[in-house]
Amino acid sequence: TFSDGITATASFSLERSTISNNYAVGNGGGIVYGTYGGPNNIVDFGFKNGTMTIDSETSITGNTAKTGRGGGLYYSIAPIIVGTPAKTYFSNINGTQYEKSLIINGATISGNKALSGGAGIAIFRTTRIYKSDLQVNYGTIENNISAGDGGAIYVYSSNESTYQGTCPYDLTDMSVSFGSTTGELKLVNNQAANGGGAYITGDFLSTKIVNGTIGEQGKSNIAT
């Protein structure tokens, strides 16, 4: 169901690499990064702190998420599931909050496809147990096609899980930034049902564009 390319839950970096022509029936055609738990199983925080970084000489191209999100890359911060309905089990009683971050410094993400959303990148956060950050500092996300929302980028944030145990810290919002003072982020020639360039929705989320181009002459993003 998950990526045919790379699935990572710990710290991980991609440098001078090509992730291309991979296929997932569900989410994350090229890469899946983050946390997840299995239904009806008590899963401890086996995947704690971690940062995934992708550098400027890496390309993520031609990948497919057939029925899910994130054709190129799927970044998921999901509940640690305890029974039904989903609950999050706290084991870090010392009060230290776990963190997961994704930092993209100049990668090219192009020609990816997804059914549900985020053909280039999909960020799907359904629990606030982790401090979660996404930085797409610069690079190009182009020619991606989603039948759902967000041709280049899809961002969803909520707090859908309840808790088992005592939460030892204040739950935090997710921080998402596009572009930076060191470089430009270009979202061009992408297509989706809504938000040809980007689709951002949900709660407990702060989003900013620092230095970005969304569409340009001859390379408009399209919402069908």
Side-chain angles (χ1 to χ4, degrees), residues 18-53:
T18 299
I19 310 296
S20 65
N21 301 317
N22 297 288
Y23 179 95
V25 174
N27 299 313
I31 301 170
V32 172
Y33 176 68
T35 67
Y36 50 88
N40 303 315
N41 295 308
I42 295 179
V43 183
D44 202 347
F45 282 90
F47 317 119
K48 299 184 174 67
N49 299 323
T51 298
M52 180 174 184
T53 58

Side-chain angles (χ1 to χ4, degrees), residues 102-119:
L102 172 63
I103 302 171
I104 300 175
N105 290 320
T108 298
I109 302 174
S110 67
N112 302 287
K113 296 180 180 180
L115 178 67
S116 296

Side-chain angles (χ1 to χ4, degrees), residues 6 8 12-19 30-33 51-60 72-75 101-109 120-121 134-141:
I6 295 173
F12 181 77
S13 64
L14 279 175
E15 301 177 2
R16 299 183 298 279
S17 301
T18 299
I19 310 296
I31 301 170
V32 172
Y33 176 68
T51 298
M52 180 174 184
T53 58
I54 303 175
D55 78 351
S56 61
E57 297 180 64
T58 292
S59 62
I60 302 171
L73 190 155
Y74 182 69
Y75 172 42
S101 299
L102 172 63
I103 302 171
I104 300 175
N105 290 320
T108 298
I109 302 174
I121 302 173
L134 169 71
Q135 300 174 37
V136 187
N137 289 326
Y138 54 97
T140 302
I141 305 178

Side-chain angles (χ1 to χ4, degrees), residues 72-90:
L73 190 155
Y74 182 69
Y75 172 42
S76 172
I77 303 296
I80 305 302
I81 296 174
V82 181
T84 304
K87 293 183 179 180
T88 298
Y89 173 72
F90 287 98

Side-chain angles (χ1 to χ4, degrees), residues 52-205:
M52 180 174 184
T53 58
I54 303 175
D55 78 351
S56 61
E57 297 180 64
T58 292
S59 62
I60 302 171
T61 62
N63 303 285
T64 300
K66 182 180 179 181
T67 64
R69 300 179 176 91
L73 190 155
Y74 182 69
Y75 172 42
S76 172
I77 303 296
I80 305 302
I81 296 174
V82 181
T84 304
K87 293 183 179 180
T88 298
Y89 173 72
F90 287 98
S91 64
N92 54 334
I93 58 175
N94 62 0
T96 301
Q97 186 173 21
Y98 297 138
E99 299 185 17
K100 286 284 186 181
S101 299
L102 172 63
I103 302 171
I104 300 175
N105 290 320
T108 298
I109 302 174
S110 67
N112 302 287
K113 296 180 180 180
L115 178 67
S116 296
I121 302 173
I123 300 97
F124 196 74
R125 185 199 193 204
T126 54
T127 180
R128 297 170 70 203
I129 57 175
Y130 282 83
K131 180 180 179 182
S132 307
D133 297 303
L134 169 71
Q135 300 174 37
V136 187
N137 289 326
Y138 54 97
T140 302
I141 305 178
E142 64 180 345
N143 304 326
N144 301 285
I145 300 174
S146 171
D149 300 323
I153 298 172
Y154 172 88
V155 180
Y156 175 80
S157 176
S158 74
N159 191 37
E160 297 179 0
S161 60
T162 55
Y163 303 105
Q164 177 170 308
T166 302
C167 178
Y169 47 76
D170 294 331
L171 301 181
T172 60
D173 293 352
M174 183 177 187
S175 173
V176 179
S177 63
F178 301 128
S180 69
T181 57
T182 59
E184 179 188 22
L185 175 67
K186 296 180 70 173
L187 309 182
V188 294
N189 207 38
N190 301 284
Q191 180 175 311
N194 299 290
Y199 188 91
I200 302 164
T201 187
D203 302 312
F204 314 112
L205 172 71

